[in-house]
Amino acid sequence: MRRPQFGMQMFKDRRSELARQAQGSIFILPSHPDMLRNNDVHHTYRQDSNLFYLTGWEEQESVFVFRPGQKPESVLFVRKKDLVRETWDGFRYGPDGVTANFGMDQAYLIDDFDQKLVELIKGADNIFYRFNIDPSFDTRFLKLLEERRLSARGQYNAPVRDPNELIGEMRLRKSEAEKKIMRKACEISAEAHVAVMKATRPGMNERELHGLFIYEAFKRGAGREGYGTIVATGANACTLHYTFNDQNTKDGDLLLIDAGAEKDFYTGDITRTYPVNGKFTDTQKRVYEAVLTANKEILKMIKPGFAFNKLQERTVEMLVDTMLDLKLLSGDKKKIIENLDYKKYYPHGVGHWLGLDVHDAGSYLLKNESRQIEEGMSFTVEPGLYIPIDDKSAPAELRGIGIRIEDNIVVTKDGCENMTAKCPKEISELEAIIGRG
Ligand code: GLY
Ligand code: MN
Ligand code: MN
């Protein structure tokens, strides 16, 4: 018999908070589908983050129904116990295991979902449902909704709203317990990066270094990688979400590694860039130092009350100065910014919310304006510069250089805590450890 990995009180508290905000509503949260990888082999399963956030439940083929203020309030639909399937695929709790271990008011078989939902949805004046978590379940949900409308002679008009309106807002502000887990995820991620730095030598394959990151993270208690790890040598670093990870590193290359360990469902998201031979060239140094300066200045700016988009504006300003300095662009700085010309070399944002998802839930805008940073929010700081290898307009020595430096922070009362500060990023620190393992 497996036992839940997590104490249930945290999930119960979250449900109570959501219930306080959404009396009279119904939340219907399906799990992600189990995805085929090839023939009869599946991808490793991971629960949908909202479903996990409210229940601690990890099994596939499940739906969580939450009805604040009604009885039963929390209902989980799950797969049946099946000794043959469990022999092949592993333990299942079944409905009885759910009520005994997961603090739910009620648990049913997933096969009974359609029939039970007819009763559960009655009287709900708001339906919170997020499309595309499981596209085949969307069809089923819409059919049930239509049946409900028809049986009420067209008088059932409860709006369908995105649960992230409320759950995303909750997830955006990290509790003390969440901060503790995130610090751990960041610590594991940082230590695994350092282990990879120490092992890096020219000629090693990107895949070898990727494997080492996974090993070092798993050894320290990570459950998974938080996202598709990027190990990009030389000009591969200019592909923002490069995931082939199969090329040999070469003496003289810079190596960009964007990798995060997931601990108890929360992920780190660190990027470091360094020379595989342990010594920056003068040209690499120039670009690296500019990106590092931007990274450090943004970290200093973060504090409650600051509009999130100001961080991006300041990053763009600093990086455009660098682009002018390096003769990547020429002309009027203001016009370059207005026309978005800088996007050729810096096409992404300086950061994103971080938590259960690497690109975490929560809106960036409030009433169409950039929202203000608040204590407890967590996000990444990741300026970068990428000069395509075939960019004939760039000075030849800069072509193929891609650099990103990414840290993870949580906002404090009057600034921020850099949870990835222990991952080296100064040139002298990097040169002292690369290949010294
Ligand atoms: N690792 C993906 C990102 O930095 O957004
Ligand atoms: Mn990121
Ligand atoms: Mn990243």
Side-chain angles (χ1 to χ4, degrees), residues 22 35 37 61 76 95 106 131-132 147 191 194 224 228 283-284 297 300 318 347 352 380 407 415:
M35 298 300 279
R37 178 178 178 276
E61 292 178 62
L76 198 52
Q106 190 64 261
F131 290 94
N132 233 3
E147 280 168 11
E191 288 178 8
V194 170
R224 282 176 283 258
T283 307
Q284 290 168 347
E297 176 152 341
K300 274 203 220 120
M318 285 187 281
H352 51 79
T380 64
D407 284 304

PDB file of all heavy atoms in Angstrom, residues 22 35 37 61 76 95 106 131-132 147 191 194 224 228 283-284 297 300 318 347 352 380 407 415:
ATOM      1  N   ALA A  22     -15.486  31.453  -3.438  1.00  0.00           N
ATOM      2  CA  ALA A  22     -16.302  30.979  -4.572  1.00  0.00           C
ATOM      3  C   ALA A  22     -17.534  30.194  -4.120  1.00  0.00           C
ATOM      4  O   ALA A  22     -17.872  29.168  -4.695  1.00  0.00           O
ATOM      5  CB  ALA A  22     -15.426  30.115  -5.485  1.00  0.00           C
ATOM      6  N   MET A  35      -0.322  10.216 -21.990  1.00  0.00           N
ATOM      7  CA  MET A  35       0.040  10.351 -23.412  1.00  0.00           C
ATOM      8  C   MET A  35       0.898   9.186 -23.901  1.00  0.00           C
ATOM      9  O   MET A  35       1.895   8.825 -23.266  1.00  0.00           O
ATOM     10  CB  MET A  35       0.819  11.653 -23.642  1.00  0.00           C
ATOM     11  CG  MET A  35       0.037  12.912 -23.318  1.00  0.00           C
ATOM     12  SD  MET A  35      -1.450  13.095 -24.304  1.00  0.00           S
ATOM     13  CE  MET A  35      -0.757  13.769 -25.801  1.00  0.00           C
ATOM     14  N   ARG A  37       3.666   7.450 -25.934  1.00  0.00           N
ATOM     15  CA  ARG A  37       4.984   7.870 -26.411  1.00  0.00           C
ATOM     16  C   ARG A  37       5.285   7.159 -27.724  1.00  0.00           C
ATOM     17  O   ARG A  37       5.604   7.768 -28.718  1.00  0.00           O
ATOM     18  CB  ARG A  37       6.027   7.544 -25.347  1.00  0.00           C
ATOM     19  CG  ARG A  37       7.446   7.873 -25.693  1.00  0.00           C
ATOM     20  CD  ARG A  37       8.331   7.511 -24.487  1.00  0.00           C
ATOM     21  NE  ARG A  37       9.720   7.760 -24.742  1.00  0.00           N
ATOM     22  CZ  ARG A  37      10.530   6.905 -25.366  1.00  0.00           C
ATOM     23  NH1 ARG A  37      10.057   5.773 -25.837  1.00  0.00           N
ATOM     24  NH2 ARG A  37      11.798   7.206 -25.533  1.00  0.00           N
ATOM     25  N   GLU A  61      -6.407   9.780 -15.181  1.00  0.00           N
ATOM     26  CA  GLU A  61      -7.821   9.400 -15.371  1.00  0.00           C
ATOM     27  C   GLU A  61      -8.658   9.766 -14.149  1.00  0.00           C
ATOM     28  O   GLU A  61      -9.369   8.926 -13.589  1.00  0.00           O
ATOM     29  CB  GLU A  61      -7.941   7.898 -15.653  1.00  0.00           C
ATOM     30  CG  GLU A  61      -7.368   7.488 -17.003  1.00  0.00           C
ATOM     31  CD  GLU A  61      -7.478   5.984 -17.219  1.00  0.00           C
ATOM     32  OE1 GLU A  61      -8.617   5.492 -17.249  1.00  0.00           O
ATOM     33  OE2 GLU A  61      -6.431   5.340 -17.334  1.00  0.00           O
ATOM     34  N   LEU A  76     -13.759  13.353  -5.570  1.00  0.00           N
ATOM     35  CA  LEU A  76     -12.720  12.945  -6.519  1.00  0.00           C
ATOM     36  C   LEU A  76     -13.181  11.680  -7.255  1.00  0.00           C
ATOM     37  O   LEU A  76     -13.605  10.709  -6.632  1.00  0.00           O
ATOM     38  CB  LEU A  76     -11.416  12.683  -5.750  1.00  0.00           C
ATOM     39  CG  LEU A  76     -10.109  12.658  -6.510  1.00  0.00           C
ATOM     40  CD1 LEU A  76      -9.883  13.891  -7.371  1.00  0.00           C
ATOM     41  CD2 LEU A  76      -8.937  12.515  -5.526  1.00  0.00           C
ATOM     42  N   PRO A  95     -11.545   4.383  -5.040  1.00  0.00           N
ATOM     43  CA  PRO A  95     -12.350   5.325  -4.258  1.00  0.00           C
ATOM     44  C   PRO A  95     -12.194   5.182  -2.741  1.00  0.00           C
ATOM     45  O   PRO A  95     -12.089   6.189  -2.037  1.00  0.00           O
ATOM     46  CB  PRO A  95     -13.789   5.002  -4.689  1.00  0.00           C
ATOM     47  CG  PRO A  95     -13.643   4.424  -6.060  1.00  0.00           C
ATOM     48  CD  PRO A  95     -12.346   3.684  -6.072  1.00  0.00           C
ATOM     49  N   GLN A 106     -16.131  12.723  -0.669  1.00  0.00           N
ATOM     50  CA  GLN A 106     -16.725  11.635  -1.444  1.00  0.00           C
ATOM     51  C   GLN A 106     -15.754  11.219  -2.554  1.00  0.00           C
ATOM     52  O   GLN A 106     -15.026  12.082  -3.079  1.00  0.00           O
ATOM     53  CB  GLN A 106     -18.036  12.161  -2.053  1.00  0.00           C
ATOM     54  CG  GLN A 106     -18.930  11.151  -2.689  1.00  0.00           C
ATOM     55  CD  GLN A 106     -19.477  10.133  -1.689  1.00  0.00           C
ATOM     56  OE1 GLN A 106     -18.926   9.038  -1.611  1.00  0.00           O
ATOM     57  NE2 GLN A 106     -20.511  10.494  -0.945  1.00  0.00           N
ATOM     58  N   PHE A 131     -10.441  24.707 -20.390  1.00  0.00           N
ATOM     59  CA  PHE A 131     -10.366  23.880 -21.589  1.00  0.00           C
ATOM     60  C   PHE A 131      -8.912  23.508 -21.894  1.00  0.00           C
ATOM     61  O   PHE A 131      -7.984  24.198 -21.503  1.00  0.00           O
ATOM     62  CB  PHE A 131     -10.989  24.618 -22.778  1.00  0.00           C
ATOM     63  CG  PHE A 131     -12.488  24.734 -22.633  1.00  0.00           C
ATOM     64  CD1 PHE A 131     -13.066  25.871 -22.065  1.00  0.00           C
ATOM     65  CD2 PHE A 131     -13.319  23.684 -23.007  1.00  0.00           C
ATOM     66  CE1 PHE A 131     -14.433  25.953 -21.887  1.00  0.00           C
ATOM     67  CE2 PHE A 131     -14.692  23.766 -22.840  1.00  0.00           C
ATOM     68  CZ  PHE A 131     -15.252  24.908 -22.272  1.00  0.00           C
ATOM     69  N   ASN A 132      -8.784  22.389 -22.618  1.00  0.00           N
ATOM     70  CA  ASN A 132      -7.494  21.956 -23.140  1.00  0.00           C
ATOM     71  C   ASN A 132      -6.570  21.273 -22.125  1.00  0.00           C
ATOM     72  O   ASN A 132      -5.412  21.023 -22.428  1.00  0.00           O
ATOM     73  CB  ASN A 132      -6.748  23.124 -23.790  1.00  0.00           C
ATOM     74  CG  ASN A 132      -6.334  22.749 -25.196  1.00  0.00           C
ATOM     75  OD1 ASN A 132      -6.657  21.667 -25.665  1.00  0.00           O
ATOM     76  ND2 ASN A 132      -5.606  23.624 -25.859  1.00  0.00           N
ATOM     77  N   GLU A 147     -26.642  18.949 -22.028  1.00  0.00           N
ATOM     78  CA  GLU A 147     -27.750  18.147 -21.496  1.00  0.00           C
ATOM     79  C   GLU A 147     -28.395  18.855 -20.309  1.00  0.00           C
ATOM     80  O   GLU A 147     -29.604  18.882 -20.160  1.00  0.00           O
ATOM     81  CB  GLU A 147     -27.245  16.765 -21.059  1.00  0.00           C
ATOM     82  CG  GLU A 147     -27.095  15.819 -22.242  1.00  0.00           C
ATOM     83  CD  GLU A 147     -26.317  14.556 -21.861  1.00  0.00           C
ATOM     84  OE1 GLU A 147     -26.075  14.317 -20.665  1.00  0.00           O
ATOM     85  OE2 GLU A 147     -25.938  13.824 -22.802  1.00  0.00           O
ATOM     86  N   GLU A 191      22.916  22.988  -7.147  1.00  0.00           N
ATOM     87  CA  GLU A 191      23.997  22.020  -6.899  1.00  0.00           C
ATOM     88  C   GLU A 191      24.221  21.119  -8.112  1.00  0.00           C
ATOM     89  O   GLU A 191      25.359  20.754  -8.425  1.00  0.00           O
ATOM     90  CB  GLU A 191      23.672  21.181  -5.654  1.00  0.00           C
ATOM     91  CG  GLU A 191      23.820  21.991  -4.376  1.00  0.00           C
ATOM     92  CD  GLU A 191      23.471  21.217  -3.112  1.00  0.00           C
ATOM     93  OE1 GLU A 191      23.252  19.987  -3.190  1.00  0.00           O
ATOM     94  OE2 GLU A 191      23.424  21.853  -2.048  1.00  0.00           O
ATOM     95  N   VAL A 194      26.229  23.019 -10.602  1.00  0.00           N
ATOM     96  CA  VAL A 194      27.646  23.093 -10.220  1.00  0.00           C
ATOM     97  C   VAL A 194      28.351  21.770 -10.551  1.00  0.00           C
ATOM     98  O   VAL A 194      29.468  21.767 -11.084  1.00  0.00           O
ATOM     99  CB  VAL A 194      27.788  23.435  -8.715  1.00  0.00           C
ATOM    100  CG1 VAL A 194      29.230  23.263  -8.256  1.00  0.00           C
ATOM    101  CG2 VAL A 194      27.305  24.861  -8.449  1.00  0.00           C
ATOM    102  N   ARG A 224      11.672  14.858 -10.721  1.00  0.00           N
ATOM    103  CA  ARG A 224      11.646  14.965 -12.190  1.00  0.00           C
ATOM    104  C   ARG A 224      12.460  16.178 -12.582  1.00  0.00           C
ATOM    105  O   ARG A 224      12.803  17.008 -11.742  1.00  0.00           O
ATOM    106  CB  ARG A 224      10.205  15.236 -12.678  1.00  0.00           C
ATOM    107  CG  ARG A 224       9.278  14.063 -12.710  1.00  0.00           C
ATOM    108  CD  ARG A 224       7.883  14.509 -13.110  1.00  0.00           C
ATOM    109  NE  ARG A 224       7.214  15.138 -12.004  1.00  0.00           N
ATOM    110  CZ  ARG A 224       6.282  14.567 -11.245  1.00  0.00           C
ATOM    111  NH1 ARG A 224       5.885  13.343 -11.522  1.00  0.00           N
ATOM    112  NH2 ARG A 224       5.732  15.210 -10.230  1.00  0.00           N
ATOM    113  N   GLY A 228      11.642  20.598 -20.241  1.00  0.00           N
ATOM    114  CA  GLY A 228      12.630  20.033 -21.158  1.00  0.00           C
ATOM    115  C   GLY A 228      13.965  20.739 -21.025  1.00  0.00           C
ATOM    116  O   GLY A 228      14.110  21.902 -21.415  1.00  0.00           O
ATOM    117  N   THR A 283      36.089  38.381 -26.275  1.00  0.00           N
ATOM    118  CA  THR A 283      34.799  38.672 -26.912  1.00  0.00           C
ATOM    119  C   THR A 283      33.654  38.069 -26.098  1.00  0.00           C
ATOM    120  O   THR A 283      32.649  38.729 -25.824  1.00  0.00           O
ATOM    121  CB  THR A 283      34.766  38.092 -28.350  1.00  0.00           C
ATOM    122  OG1 THR A 283      35.911  38.572 -29.032  1.00  0.00           O
ATOM    123  CG2 THR A 283      33.508  38.475 -29.073  1.00  0.00           C
ATOM    124  N   GLN A 284      33.795  36.801 -25.716  1.00  0.00           N
ATOM    125  CA  GLN A 284      32.751  36.152 -24.902  1.00  0.00           C
ATOM    126  C   GLN A 284      32.535  36.924 -23.605  1.00  0.00           C
ATOM    127  O   GLN A 284      31.406  37.126 -23.162  1.00  0.00           O
ATOM    128  CB  GLN A 284      33.153  34.699 -24.585  1.00  0.00           C
ATOM    129  CG  GLN A 284      33.115  33.776 -25.797  1.00  0.00           C
ATOM    130  CD  GLN A 284      33.786  32.440 -25.537  1.00  0.00           C
ATOM    131  OE1 GLN A 284      34.505  32.256 -24.534  1.00  0.00           O
ATOM    132  NE2 GLN A 284      33.569  31.495 -26.446  1.00  0.00           N
ATOM    133  N   GLU A 297      21.365  43.973 -12.065  1.00  0.00           N
ATOM    134  CA  GLU A 297      20.616  45.220 -11.848  1.00  0.00           C
ATOM    135  C   GLU A 297      19.122  44.935 -11.649  1.00  0.00           C
ATOM    136  O   GLU A 297      18.475  45.538 -10.795  1.00  0.00           O
ATOM    137  CB  GLU A 297      20.822  46.189 -13.013  1.00  0.00           C
ATOM    138  CG  GLU A 297      19.963  47.432 -12.807  1.00  0.00           C
ATOM    139  CD  GLU A 297      20.492  48.699 -13.431  1.00  0.00           C
ATOM    140  OE1 GLU A 297      21.698  48.758 -13.739  1.00  0.00           O
ATOM    141  OE2 GLU A 297      19.683  49.633 -13.573  1.00  0.00           O
ATOM    142  N   LYS A 300      18.374  43.771  -8.229  1.00  0.00           N
ATOM    143  CA  LYS A 300      18.391  44.881  -7.252  1.00  0.00           C
ATOM    144  C   LYS A 300      17.107  45.705  -7.305  1.00  0.00           C
ATOM    145  O   LYS A 300      16.717  46.332  -6.314  1.00  0.00           O
ATOM    146  CB  LYS A 300      19.578  45.801  -7.543  1.00  0.00           C
ATOM    147  CG  LYS A 300      20.845  45.329  -6.881  1.00  0.00           C
ATOM    148  CD  LYS A 300      21.818  46.502  -6.718  1.00  0.00           C
ATOM    149  CE  LYS A 300      23.230  46.040  -7.022  1.00  0.00           C
ATOM    150  NZ  LYS A 300      23.900  46.702  -8.110  1.00  0.00           N
ATOM    151  N   MET A 318      18.920  48.337 -21.103  1.00  0.00           N
ATOM    152  CA  MET A 318      20.317  47.944 -20.870  1.00  0.00           C
ATOM    153  C   MET A 318      20.851  47.112 -22.038  1.00  0.00           C
ATOM    154  O   MET A 318      21.983  47.308 -22.489  1.00  0.00           O
ATOM    155  CB  MET A 318      20.440  47.133 -19.568  1.00  0.00           C
ATOM    156  CG  MET A 318      20.345  48.000 -18.330  1.00  0.00           C
ATOM    157  SD  MET A 318      20.691  47.066 -16.815  1.00  0.00           S
ATOM    158  CE  MET A 318      19.147  46.223 -16.566  1.00  0.00           C
ATOM    159  N   PRO A 347      14.680  38.213 -27.873  1.00  0.00           N
ATOM    160  CA  PRO A 347      13.265  38.088 -28.248  1.00  0.00           C
ATOM    161  C   PRO A 347      12.309  37.709 -27.123  1.00  0.00           C
ATOM    162  O   PRO A 347      11.114  37.608 -27.382  1.00  0.00           O
ATOM    163  CB  PRO A 347      13.304  36.967 -29.311  1.00  0.00           C
ATOM    164  CG  PRO A 347      14.530  36.191 -29.023  1.00  0.00           C
ATOM    165  CD  PRO A 347      15.475  37.045 -28.241  1.00  0.00           C
ATOM    166  N   HIS A 352       9.259  35.218 -15.724  1.00  0.00           N
ATOM    167  CA  HIS A 352       7.900  34.667 -15.695  1.00  0.00           C
ATOM    168  C   HIS A 352       7.655  34.111 -14.305  1.00  0.00           C
ATOM    169  O   HIS A 352       8.600  33.753 -13.590  1.00  0.00           O
ATOM    170  CB  HIS A 352       7.737  33.576 -16.761  1.00  0.00           C
ATOM    171  CG  HIS A 352       8.821  32.523 -16.709  1.00  0.00           C
ATOM    172  ND1 HIS A 352       8.829  31.499 -15.791  1.00  0.00           N
ATOM    173  CD2 HIS A 352       9.959  32.364 -17.444  1.00  0.00           C
ATOM    174  CE1 HIS A 352       9.911  30.747 -15.981  1.00  0.00           C
ATOM    175  NE2 HIS A 352      10.629  31.266 -16.970  1.00  0.00           N
ATOM    176  N   THR A 380      11.272  34.380 -12.347  1.00  0.00           N
ATOM    177  CA  THR A 380      12.646  34.240 -12.828  1.00  0.00           C
ATOM    178  C   THR A 380      13.166  35.602 -13.275  1.00  0.00           C
ATOM    179  O   THR A 380      12.391  36.501 -13.608  1.00  0.00           O
ATOM    180  CB  THR A 380      12.733  33.279 -14.027  1.00  0.00           C
ATOM    181  OG1 THR A 380      12.006  33.844 -15.118  1.00  0.00           O
ATOM    182  CG2 THR A 380      12.170  31.916 -13.703  1.00  0.00           C
ATOM    183  N   ASP A 407      18.099  33.477 -12.857  1.00  0.00           N
ATOM    184  CA  ASP A 407      17.961  33.194 -11.432  1.00  0.00           C
ATOM    185  C   ASP A 407      16.485  33.131 -11.052  1.00  0.00           C
ATOM    186  O   ASP A 407      15.624  33.560 -11.821  1.00  0.00           O
ATOM    187  CB  ASP A 407      18.662  34.285 -10.614  1.00  0.00           C
ATOM    188  CG  ASP A 407      20.178  34.115 -10.628  1.00  0.00           C
ATOM    189  OD1 ASP A 407      20.635  33.029 -10.239  1.00  0.00           O
ATOM    190  OD2 ASP A 407      20.890  35.060 -11.049  1.00  0.00           O
ATOM    191  N   GLY A 415      12.367  43.752  -0.835  1.00  0.00           N
ATOM    192  CA  GLY A 415      13.297  43.425  -1.923  1.00  0.00           C
ATOM    193  C   GLY A 415      12.990  42.038  -2.437  1.00  0.00           C
ATOM    194  O   GLY A 415      11.826  41.697  -2.624  1.00  0.00           O
TER     195      GLY A 415
END
